Each structure stands twice: as structure tokens, then as C-alpha cells.
Amino acid sequence: RTMHDTIQPFLVSVRSVLPNTYFRNFCDKFAAAFTTTFYNAITRQKRISESGTQQFLLDVYNLKTLLLKLPVMEQKATNSTIPSPKSAGSTIAPAMYTKMVTKQFQRIEILLKLVGTPPELLIDVFKVQWENGTALDLQTVMNLKGMKRNEQAAMLERFGVDPATAMKGASMATSGSGLTENIQALQDKSSDVAAKVNSDLFQMRQKVEDFRRAFR
């Protein structure tokens, strides 16, 4: 809800100062940056419980609904009897934008659904859900599930990784080195999704102000 309350008024403000063509391009870049930041922030978590994945999925649904509306978001008229100058425009987001946002959020949804998948079904579901998924992708999921070293090694073997390599990879993931060490380093910098998004919004707001001053 915090991100929703931050994003919506900011985008309405941006729309009021940018021509339609520039605003649509801005929406493309904003949506791509936002979803990438959100995905990376999720992978930085140490562990996500089953209930946590369900809450994340609800948040993802709400955020996706919001972002899909961005290109057609209208600024409310000060007088309800007077239509907004831009209200005559389309109320449907461009097809390419909708496709891009849907694809970006699908990646996030797949990750969360896999984290919430029972371990005994993980390999089969991973192969079906994550197209071209690698052992590193699977290890990211297992780390978020909080799986132990021997469990990860067994899973990697089932996935087709050489036993020795699987054990080494699992040891690196659970001992604080390798993949997990990198994730932890990033998490130390910023594990709060909302804080990161707010920081990005602040920078974008500054750019909008610079754009506005350039035309005064």
C-alpha cells in the first residue's frame, strides 16, 4: 500500500508535465526498472516462508494491476463537472506495454510460486514453470526456501548436476560464500523493497523537475 500511495501521485504529476509520447516512454522505462528492482530485492532475502510467499503474491498482483494502468492514468480534474483535458484519450494501455509488464511480473510470480512449492515437487514444477531455468536459478529458489546443504545437493543431483559439483554448490550456498555471499552483500546494502523504490522515485522526481525548469 505504501508503494501504491507513492507511485500513483508521482506518475500523475509526471503525466501532467510530459507529452503523451514522452510519458509512454517514461512508463516503459519506469515499469522495467521497478520490476527488476523488485525481483532483485526478493532474491536478496535470506528465507521466505510459505505464508510470506502468499503475501508477496498478493502484493505482486496489486502492483501489477497498478503498473498496467500507468500509461492511461488520468489526473483528477479539480472540478468534477469539468472533464480532464486528457480524458478523451484511450483508457487501455498500449499492447506492447501490457505484454512487457505482464512478462516481467510473470517472472516474479514464478519465483514466488516455486519458493512456496513443497520440496518433493520442486524439480518437476521448476522444469515446467521456469523455461530455460538453470541450476543457479534452482539454487536461488532453494536458498529462499531455506533448504539445508544436503537437501540442496540432492536436489541439484536430481536436476542433473554432477554429484561432486552439486555438493560443492550446495556448500557454497549455505556456508556464506559464492552465490549466497553475493546475495547477502546486496541484502546488507538494501533489503527493504519499498525504501529502494522510494529512492528511485526521488531520483525520477528530480529529473522531472529538471525537465520542467528547462522549459520555463
Side-chain angles (χ1 to χ4, degrees):
R1 186 62 187 178
T2 300
M3 283 190 282
H4 184 284
D5 291 341
T6 301
I7 293 172
Q8 186 168 4
F10 170 64
L11 265 294
V12 169
S13 175
V14 173
R15 184 178 178 85
S16 68
V17 298
L18 291 180
N20 283 340
T21 303
Y22 289 101
F23 182 70
R24 289 177 183 175
N25 182 262
F26 173 84
C27 287
D28 289 343
K29 294 182 180 298
F30 177 86
F34 179 89
T35 50
T36 299
T37 298
F38 193 72
Y39 178 89
N40 290 339
I42 292 175
T43 62
R44 293 168 194 161
Q45 306 308 303
K46 286 185 176 180
R47 182 177 182 275
I48 302 177
S49 65
E50 183 176 348
S51 60
T53 61
Q54 296 302 316
Q55 182 59 55
F56 259 124
L57 284 169
L58 288 174
D59 293 339
V60 166
Y61 173 80
N62 291 328
L63 287 169
K64 180 170 67 174
T65 300
L66 173 63
L67 261 66
L68 286 172
K69 296 178 181 178
L70 295 189
V72 293
M73 189 175 291
E74 302 289 352
Q75 183 175 13
K76 293 182 179 179
T78 55
N79 188 331
S80 59
T81 62
I82 302 176
S84 170
K86 297 178 181 177
S87 61
S90 174
T91 58
I92 301 176
M96 290 299 293
Y97 174 83
T98 299
K99 182 178 180 181
M100 182 271 290
V101 170
T102 300
K103 183 177 181 180
Q104 290 285 90
F105 274 103
Q106 184 179 38
R107 180 179 176 224
I108 298 172
E109 290 167 343
I110 289 173
L111 174 65
L112 293 171
K113 288 176 181 178
L114 287 171
V115 173
T117 299
E120 61 271 18
L121 301 176
L122 182 58
I123 296 296
D124 293 334
V125 176
F126 179 84
K127 290 180 177 179
V128 172
Q129 293 285 334
W130 200 317
E131 186 177 358
N132 299 321
T134 65
L136 184 61
D137 296 325
L138 176 60
Q139 196 166 42
T140 298
V141 173
M142 293 190 293
N143 286 336
L144 292 174
K145 289 176 71 66
M147 295 177 64
K148 297 179 180 178
R149 181 186 307 176
N150 60 331
E151 295 173 329
Q152 291 198 26
M155 284 290 182
L156 289 171
E157 284 188 52
R158 285 181 55 194
F159 188 67
V161 178
D162 175 76
T165 304
M167 180 57 72
K168 181 179 179 181
S171 299
M172 291 174 66
T174 56
S175 65
S177 58
L179 172 66
T180 302
E181 182 178 7
N182 292 334
I183 292 175
Q184 184 61 46
L186 291 171
Q187 186 179 28
D188 291 340
K189 295 179 181 178
S190 174
S191 62
D192 188 336
V193 180
K196 180 66 175 68
V197 171
N198 285 336
S199 175
D200 291 344
L201 287 175
F202 176 77
Q203 294 179 22
M204 290 181 182
R205 194 174 285 117
Q206 289 295 111
K207 291 180 180 179
V208 171
E209 289 299 322
D210 292 342
F211 179 89
R212 181 184 295 173
R213 283 194 293 270
F215 283 88
R216 287 178 178 174

